[in-house]
Amino acid sequence: MVDLEFSCTGAEADRYAATPSIRMRLRIEETTGTPVHAVALRCQIRIEPIRRRYTDEEAEGLADLFGARSRWGETLKPLQLAFVTQMVPGFTGVTETDLSLPCSYDFDVAAHKYLYAVREGGVPLLLLFNGTIFTGRPGTLSVTPVAWQKETSYELPVVVWREAMDQHFPGAAWLRLRQDTFDRLYRYRTREALPGWDDAIERLLKEQLE
């Protein structure tokens, strides 16, 4: 019976994508010698925070997610990052393909808060696979599910995520506000004749600290 093994061999920021994205290079090996016509592949990508150490600066940034370090034994749970799909062309033996991992500054999503807080090293990912494998002799077609236990781990360099974001939002970040909050901020900026949103927020922060 056809059997696939997966490994992630690298990742890079996709400079040609319309939105911030990372291209993850996936190696697929068919271990029984059966020619594969195609694979309709689905991949669930999780962050496994417990698999790495954190600096004090990172721990401060992660407090919103996991609380104080003293609680991390209970709170450091996996975070859902993305579901991606990929149609893999036919091959025999070994092939490679790219998975497109979308990136975001949506701070309402726990995984994106985590990526923003981590400053160096790698992000421990777990890739879980399922999908459909198409095989068969000429004139026939066999359909086999990807075994449910297929998975692989990968350390995504933090710099790759930051590079993907900086290509589209250099030196900037996004903050979503309620409509009424935005309206109040807009009126304040207009009343004070401030040239930009940064100026308005900096003025408010200064007033608060004073």
Side-chain angles (χ1 to χ4, degrees), residues 6-12 23-28 94-98 127 152-155 157:
F6 300 89
S7 59
C8 187
T9 61
E12 64 179 0
R23 289 190 304 178
M24 302 183 66
R25 195 64 175 166
L26 187 66
R27 183 181 187 271
I28 306 173
V94 176
T95 191
E96 291 191 353
T97 190
D98 288 333
L127 287 72
T152 190
S153 298
Y154 180 67
E155 293 287 329

Side-chain angles (χ1 to χ4, degrees), residues 71-87:
R71 298 183 55 218
W72 282 11
E74 301 175 357
T75 61
L76 231 57
K77 305 298 184 182
L79 304 173
Q80 186 63 51
L81 180 57
F83 285 92
V84 298
T85 61
Q86 179 65 35
M87 198 68 192

Side-chain angles (χ1 to χ4, degrees), residues 7-201:
S7 59
C8 187
T9 61
E12 64 179 0
D14 189 345
R15 66 180 63 187
Y16 301 110
T19 59
S21 301
I22 292 172
R23 289 190 304 178
M24 302 183 66
R25 195 64 175 166
L26 187 66
R27 183 181 187 271
I28 306 173
E29 180 181 3
E30 201 294 311
T31 60
T32 69
T34 304
V36 175
H37 296 331
V39 182
L41 189 64
R42 297 186 295 273
C43 179
Q44 179 184 2
I45 304 176
R46 297 177 184 170
I47 299 173
E48 295 197 308
I50 200 169
R51 286 173 36 207
R52 62 158 286 171
R53 296 179 180 276
Y54 301 91
T55 66
D56 290 340
E57 180 185 6
E58 290 171 334
E60 183 179 354
L62 293 169
D64 185 43
L65 284 174
F66 306 126
R69 277 190 188 268
S70 59
R71 298 183 55 218
W72 282 11
E74 301 175 357
T75 61
L76 231 57
K77 305 298 184 182
L79 304 173
Q80 186 63 51
L81 180 57
F83 285 92
V84 298
T85 61
Q86 179 65 35
M87 198 68 192
V88 181
F91 67 96
T92 300
V94 176
T95 191
E96 291 191 353
T97 190
D98 288 333
L99 294 179
S100 181
L101 173 63
C103 305
S104 171
Y105 266 141
D106 186 350
F107 288 101
D108 290 333
V109 178
H112 300 149
K113 288 183 182 180
Y114 177 93
L115 288 165
Y116 179 77
V118 175
R119 297 299 176 182
E120 57 186 21
V123 176
L125 300 182
L126 178 65
L127 287 72
L128 303 160
F129 300 97
N130 61 29
T132 305
I133 310 167
F134 300 94
T135 61
R137 298 176 181 177
T140 67
L141 181 65
S142 296
V143 177
T144 306
V146 175
W148 64 269
Q149 74 272 19
K150 296 299 180 179
E151 61 183 47
T152 190
S153 298
Y154 180 67
E155 293 287 329
L156 174 68
V158 176
V159 294
V160 173
W161 181 81
R162 297 194 178 280
E163 181 182 352
M165 297 304 299
D166 287 344
Q167 285 178 0
H168 292 265
F169 309 120
W174 292 94
L175 181 64
R176 185 169 64 179
L177 303 175
R178 293 198 318 268
Q179 186 64 54
D180 61 323
T181 303
F182 175 80
D183 291 342
R184 292 168 59 197
L185 182 62
Y186 182 80
R187 290 195 295 270
Y188 176 81
R189 175 187 167 186
T190 302
R191 184 175 68 250
E192 300 295 324
L194 298 171
W197 298 112
D198 284 308
D199 303 281
I201 293 173

